[in-house]
């Protein structure tokens, strides 16, 4: 069988992606598959907007191979709706999806069911990881701990507690003024004009713009040093 290899990592870890490709090659040798080419991506599998995956799927459209082989299904997608679209367009009695570590067989009803369950688990894990990260960051913010190297507007690095921020009195005054003007019903652009008239500057000593005011009001401590 002629197959297209596909490897993906979430971060720029060349060792990990090369390890995936090595295992894909070994898998193809073991099962007498002809590996036409191996595409790769660096990034999340929350959607299918990835250059390597698009190239692999295009190879199937052009009938350059009979299927795709990946280390695991979650290397291709961690979204149930995306998996269903892939199944309908490519892997339901048309092309084959092979996994090095999972017994996938999309040519049978039971194989399709097993693959779909794996997609459900992969999406659950992605959502759980996102939820844990969000909760952790929220807890760190509540404790005033750093979540990035940029201090939120209204705060600055605390030399006595390296992992925490302390309030910056000058920026806190501007922060209070912004929220007061917003509560009075002024638009973001109007607030920026008022701040500039009053001689109040951003952290970078520049005039305020509508976008900077919007970030202060809507993003709060997540804006870092951007305003």
């Amino acid at each position: 069988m002629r197959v297209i290899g596909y490897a993906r990592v979430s971060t720029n870890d060349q060792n990990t992606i090369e390890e995936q490709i090595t295992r894909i090659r070994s898998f193809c040798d073991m099962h007498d598959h002809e590996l036409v080419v191996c595409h790769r991506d660096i990034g999340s599998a929350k959607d299918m907007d990835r250059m390597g995956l698009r190239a692999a799927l295009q190879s199937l459209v052009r009938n350059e191979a009979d299927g795709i082989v990946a280390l695991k299904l979650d290397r291709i997608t961690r979204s149930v709706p995306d998996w269903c679209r892939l199944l309908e367009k490519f892997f339901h009695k048309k092309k084959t999806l092979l996994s090095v570590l999972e017994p996938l067989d999309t040519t049978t009803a039971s194989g399709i069911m097993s693959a779909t369950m794996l997609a459900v688990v992969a999406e659950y894990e992605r959502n759980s990881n996102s939820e844990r990260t969000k909760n952790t960051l929220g807890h760190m913010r509540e404790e005033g701990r750093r979540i990035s190297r940029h201090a939120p507007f209204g705060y600055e690095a605390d030399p006595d507690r390296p992992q925490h921020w302390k309030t910056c009195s000058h920026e806190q005054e501007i922060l209070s003024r912004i929220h007061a003007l917003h509560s009075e019903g002024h638009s973001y652009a109007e607030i920026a004009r008022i701040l500039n008239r009053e001689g109040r500057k951003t952290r970078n000593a520049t005039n305020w713009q509508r976008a900077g005011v919007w970030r202060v009001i809507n993003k709060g401590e997540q804006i870092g040093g951007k305003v």
Side-chain angles (χ1 to χ4, degrees):
M1 182 187 300
R2 289 167 56 83
V3 295
I4 303 294
Y6 179 75
R8 180 189 65 81
V9 292
S10 298
T11 58
N12 193 8
D13 187 344
Q14 292 300 319
N15 291 331
T16 301
I17 205 165
E18 291 300 332
E19 179 184 348
Q20 288 184 39
I21 293 172
T22 297
R23 299 186 73 171
I24 288 171
R25 293 186 188 280
S26 298
F27 175 86
C28 291
D29 290 341
M30 183 184 303
H31 295 278
D32 294 324
H33 298 315
E34 179 185 348
L35 184 61
V36 178
V37 66
C38 200
H39 295 289
R40 63 185 74 192
D41 279 315
I42 297 173
S44 170
K46 65 181 180 180
D47 57 45
M48 294 191 292
D49 187 20
R50 284 166 273 151
M51 185 178 299
L53 181 59
R54 288 199 300 269
L57 295 175
Q58 280 300 312
S59 294
L60 297 186
V61 172
R62 294 191 296 265
N63 287 320
E64 295 172 355
D66 303 306
I68 291 178
V69 56
L71 185 70
K72 295 176 64 179
L73 176 61
D74 66 10
R75 298 301 85 197
I76 294 177
T77 182
R78 301 187 76 174
S79 163
V80 175
D82 284 347
W83 163 245
C84 291
R85 283 189 284 271
L86 288 171
L87 180 62
E88 180 179 359
K89 186 172 182 179
F90 297 101
F91 302 122
H92 188 225
K93 299 181 180 179
K94 297 176 183 177
K95 301 294 182 178
T96 301
L97 175 64
L98 301 172
S99 168
V100 174
L101 300 179
E102 300 155 335
L104 294 184
D105 182 359
T106 56
T107 63
T108 66
S110 60
I112 290 174
M113 182 187 70
S114 297
T116 302
M117 292 304 298
L118 289 171
V120 170
V121 172
E123 183 175 275
Y124 167 77
E125 290 176 345
R126 176 172 63 84
N127 291 338
S128 294
N129 290 338
S130 176
E131 189 176 87
R132 283 194 296 270
T133 300
K134 182 178 180 181
N135 290 339
T136 299
L137 292 178
H139 182 65
M140 291 175 68
R141 291 191 188 100
E142 289 175 358
E143 293 185 339
R145 294 170 60 189
R146 296 189 184 190
I147 60 173
S148 73
R149 59 191 181 89
H150 296 296
F153 189 77
Y155 298 84
E156 60 187 355
D158 187 341
D160 298 325
R161 297 190 301 168
Q163 298 302 316
H164 292 73
W165 306 119
K166 67 175 184 177
T167 58
C168 173
S169 58
H170 169 66
E171 290 185 355
Q172 285 290 330
E173 290 178 4
I174 298 176
L175 202 58
S176 297
R177 181 64 171 146
I178 290 173
H179 285 291
L181 291 169
H182 184 250
S183 66
E184 293 172 6
H186 292 283
S187 69
Y188 304 132
E190 289 172 342
I191 293 172
R193 287 194 291 270
I194 293 171
L195 293 175
N196 293 332
R197 264 200 320 266
E198 295 174 350
R200 302 177 189 268
K201 300 293 184 179
T202 69
R203 175 174 293 172
N204 298 323
T206 59
N207 285 337
W208 283 89
Q209 303 293 330
R210 177 188 181 282
V213 174
W214 181 90
R215 286 198 296 269
V216 166
I217 294 172
N218 293 283
K219 294 297 185 180
E221 61 186 6
Q222 299 181 39
I223 60 174
K226 295 181 179 178
V227 296

